[in-house]
Amino acid sequence: MSATTKKTLGFQAEVKQLLQLMIHSLYSNKDIFLRELISNASDAADKLRFEALSDPALFENDPDLRIRVAFDREARTLTISDNGIGMSRQEVIDHIGTIAKSGTREFFSQLSGDQQKDAALIGQFGVGFYSAFIVADRVTLTTRRAGLTAEHGVRWESEGAGDYTLETVDKPQRGTEIVLHLREGEDEFLSDWKIKSVVRTYSDHITLPIVMKKSEWKDGVETPTDEDETVNKASALWARPRKDVTEEEYQEFYKHVAHDFEPPLAWSHNRVEGKQEYISLLYVPSHAPFDLYDREKRHGIKLYVRRVFIMDDAEQLMPQYLRFVRGVIDSADLPLNVSREILQSSRDIDAIKAGSVKKVLGLLEDLAENQPEKYAEFWKAFGKVMKEGPGEDFANKEKIAGLLRFASTHTDTDAQVVSLKDYVGRMKEGQTAIYYITADSFAAAQHSPHLEIFRKKGIEVLLLSDRVDEWLTGNLHEFDGKPLKSVAKGGLDLGELEDEAEKTAQKEAEESMKPLVERIKTTLGERVKDVRVTHRLTDSPACLVTGEGDMSANLERLLKAAGQAAPTVKPTLEINPAHALVTRLNAESDEARFGDWANLLFEQALLAEGGQLDDPASFVRRLNGLLAMLPS
Ligand code: ADP
């Protein structure tokens, strides 16, 4: 393409929508555009510094990285420029004018059209470059990637409506310059004092100097001089002692590293000395990002070595179950040319990771202990992810277990607020296990027939209905020396929780029901592994139980629904001898009818635990046949 051609390109439909929304809903927070643009400039400088480690020529004899902010009262423009990495033509097309963020689709699907609600959402989404259009009705971005020659400059311009133009221009200086043509009424940003105060509020933690022309008061107006002045503190915030950093500075820094609009829930700032020397500043966000379950997700922990930015999203520094943690780790020992491959097999990194995980878990323990409302908020946002922990991090299993929260029959609501410690504290005299049930919905767990005896005896049962709970219970077998036991698995032995009279009654029932049990077993044949008299039921006629070591029926269903191979586990049918249906079955002499009843008993037990019938039509036929026998 020749240098003179200007090409007009359309925005992605989502960008248009986002722009509209942003301009209207973020207006009351309009200052943030400066933070976003400075943050991008700072990232661009970090990237250049890192790429220049292996290719110093990228500095083009201009190694002093900085961000410049300038305004022109006559032209009514505000200009933010950097001498960072810059962008190639393709990068401009890919990054400015499209939204590549993962989770974008979910974001748009959540928009309600209600301005206030959507404003809160957009805050969570992170706004970036487009926030320029809150105050500008035209934005001109001129950029050149470091290492390319001057004629590879690119100019992007848009009025923030449907399209943008792109042309090739000469740009001798590498990096990016963004000119905001301010909207009518935004003249406050044409003031030295205003800009400096916004920069100090939002960007003091930026490690790069943010430079402005010093201004003078002349004839009652501020007039820029030729002298430069650095507006921000320009020191790495994490390298400052804790006592020198204010709450606001910590919060602003979080918004910068996490690309988040909301303040964090909590943070932990540490300088570690000894074998490994490093600084960590780790934040727990207050809400889940859109891409929490996206494998392609970005962000995470930024790795620095002696203040030099090395990489974003250093996944070796945090285990998967803590992937929501944001922040910075700055090592004093790693080599500057450290790569992702080296990180994977580095003992230093393992030690830093172990130390950082301890800090995060400690922070969460502290939150749980001292700020339970905040911890509840955390659990709502990240509980499902934390439940992956015991399967991933064996060293910290007990600690993680202590942080888990569940719904239980104690509160009988779906709020996950019960800790294992609470549970153990409420265990009955003679109770040796922590009981739980898994099901694919809270209602199915809460109303499961398996809970009947537990409810009757006032024994608490944890009600687990998150998908990840199956994974959790497969990996967490005990807490505080007490085994975790599914109420739907194995022969139930309540031990001392049952008195002598109950045990005798049970024995007698087993004896007297023997012929019936045998008859049902013969009738059901391959459908069951076994049939026996239950200990568990008080109200329902029957339930299904899986073997102690078998996969739970819930997990089998989850796997099969996900198209994965899972063995078909044959259940054991338990019948309740005290139930009228069972009594009638016992008295039934017609073989055909007995067969229908026995199968019905099995099928309704399967339905009650959320299972699916192989042959629903036969079930309906049997049921109708029996209903038709009712006296009218
Ligand atoms: P985010 O910063 O969250 O990625 P933005 O919309 O702010 O989203 O920016 C999109 C991308 O555009 C950035 O990730 C970066 O690749 C590029 N970009 C933005 N500003 C600059 C800049 N000043 N220099 C170089 N690249 C930039």
Side-chain angles (χ1 to χ4, degrees), residues 319-368:
Q320 274 292 317
Y321 75 99
L322 296 179
R323 60 185 175 274
F324 52 85
V325 174
R326 302 288 181 259
V328 167
I329 289 178
D330 188 342
S331 159
D333 313 309
L334 291 172
L336 276 169
N337 62 357
V338 64
S339 66
R340 283 188 196 270
E341 291 66 44
I342 294 177
L343 288 187
Q344 269 163 13
S345 55
S346 156
R347 278 169 175 236
D348 292 342
I349 285 290
D350 290 345
I352 294 177
K353 179 179 177 178
S356 304
V357 167
K358 285 239 150 54
K359 286 292 174 209
V360 174
L361 296 179
L363 179 66
L364 293 174
E365 279 171 345
D366 183 62
L367 212 56

Side-chain angles (χ1 to χ4, degrees), residues 40-41 44 47 82 85-87 95-96 101 128-129 176 259 298:
N40 282 347
K47 281 181 204 156
D82 65 69
I85 191 76
M87 283 178 272
H95 298 318
I96 309 285
K101 282 200 178 84
F129 172 77
T176 303
H259 293 254
R298 40 199 291 259

Side-chain angles (χ1 to χ4, degrees), residues 491-546:
L492 181 66
D493 180 4
L494 288 173
E496 289 176 32
L497 293 166
E498 245 170 352
D499 60 28
E500 284 311 311
E502 286 169 321
K503 282 182 182 149
T504 315
Q506 177 77 20
K507 277 236 167 66
E508 280 170 16
E510 274 166 18
E511 220 28 64
S512 68
M513 288 285 143
K514 230 179 200 160
L516 176 63
V517 162
E518 282 309 315
R519 220 173 139 201
I520 298 176
K521 212 190 288 188
T522 316
T523 307
L524 294 179
E526 285 301 298
R527 296 190 91 172
V528 291
K529 186 162 138 196
D530 198 6
V531 179
R532 66 184 175 225
V533 172
T534 192
H535 286 248
R536 301 170 213 257
L537 303 175
T538 59
D539 302 329
S540 302
C543 68
L544 297 178
V545 176
T546 47

Side-chain angles (χ1 to χ4, degrees), residues 38-39 41-47 49 64-67 202-211 230 232-240 253 256-257 302 304 306-309 328 330:
I38 288 176
S39 185
S42 152
D43 289 348
D46 276 346
K47 281 181 204 156
R49 221 182 267 134
D64 294 326
L65 301 181
R66 43 113 202 102
I67 299 167
Y202 288 127
S203 307
D204 244 357
H205 56 78
I206 297 278
T207 44
L208 226 49
I210 301 171
V211 180
T230 298
N232 60 329
K233 286 210 177 88
S235 74
L237 174 130
W238 62 89
R240 293 178 5 213
F253 184 65
H256 166 67
V257 284
K302 282 180 193 271
Y304 284 74
R306 293 180 293 279
R307 318 287 174 270
V308 177
F309 170 76
V328 167
D330 188 342

